[in-house]
Amino acid sequence: PRTPLQRLVEQATATSDPRVYAMAFRRCQAVTAGTDDAPMCRSLSASQWSRLDDGNALPWLYVLDEAMRRGDSAARDDALFRIARARRMDRRAYAVAAAVADVAGRDDAALVAAWTLGLDAIGLDAAAIPFSPLTDACRDATLASGDRRETCGDVADLLLERSDSLDAWVAGAVIARSLGRDTRSIDETTQRATDALSATGVRAYDCQHLRRELARWQSGAAVGQMAALR
């Protein structure tokens, strides 16, 4: 029988929905060679994701990561340029959990089931996004070129002004600091958002708290994680 990931990859290869493709691609990043899922995962690519999700910088992070692993400077520079020119950086961290919350029943058992499924969805999305190659490409030592400095400045603006997740914001702060910008207000916002995220954990498993969690997922899906935290 096919594994859940194999079924998800089949859906991804047959859809034009970038959310489905992104979910399958990112799950495949955790797959190691020799597993049953590995052959199916080879049918997905960051380049195809970027075509489906036009204007979103997120798939280009994976293109950048692949280029830097290969030592391909031309592909690295192209990916960095495309990230800098992207309209947004959308992770959609709560999209699946919010979809579960949207159809949750009203009784207590349905509430617990929805919360459990939503947590599973958030856990599947928790795999780290490869921001490190991006911040590495914009470190001081690589900024001798005026063009590279301008590109990295645009990347920082994207992450700080048009991203929907806390981890993207943090990466933007790192790059802004590398560029010599005053990041005091950025750092204060980062701390407030981090504190807010830490405070959202369910402390008591009663229905009131669970309903609040489902509402938080819906809010995060509607306006983005960072905006919801702010």
Side-chain angles (χ1 to χ4, degrees), residues 9-121:
V9 170
E10 287 180 357
Q11 293 178 39
T13 56
T15 187
S16 60
D17 189 333
R19 297 169 298 179
V20 175
Y21 200 95
M23 189 186 309
F25 180 88
R26 293 192 57 217
R27 288 299 300 149
C28 278
Q29 297 305 294
V31 169
T32 57
T35 63
D36 292 340
D37 293 322
M40 286 287 291
C41 283
R42 286 196 290 269
S43 65
L44 304 182
S45 70
S47 296
Q48 174 61 11
W49 178 12
S50 71
R51 286 188 284 271
L52 292 175
D53 207 355
D54 184 42
N56 187 4
L58 187 58
W60 288 103
L61 287 183
Y62 293 90
V63 177
L64 176 67
D65 187 28
E66 293 168 5
M68 292 180 71
R69 289 177 187 275
R70 295 194 310 268
D72 187 336
S73 59
R76 176 205 63 198
D77 291 346
D78 179 64
L80 190 62
F81 177 81
R82 290 177 182 273
I83 292 169
R85 294 294 178 267
R87 294 191 296 274
R88 64 193 190 284
M89 176 72 79
D90 285 347
R91 178 171 177 170
R92 306 184 181 102
Y94 294 120
V96 178
V100 172
D102 289 343
V103 297
R106 292 183 170 274
D107 61 276
D108 293 351
L111 178 64
V112 173
W115 177 72
T116 302
L117 287 173
L119 277 187
D120 287 345

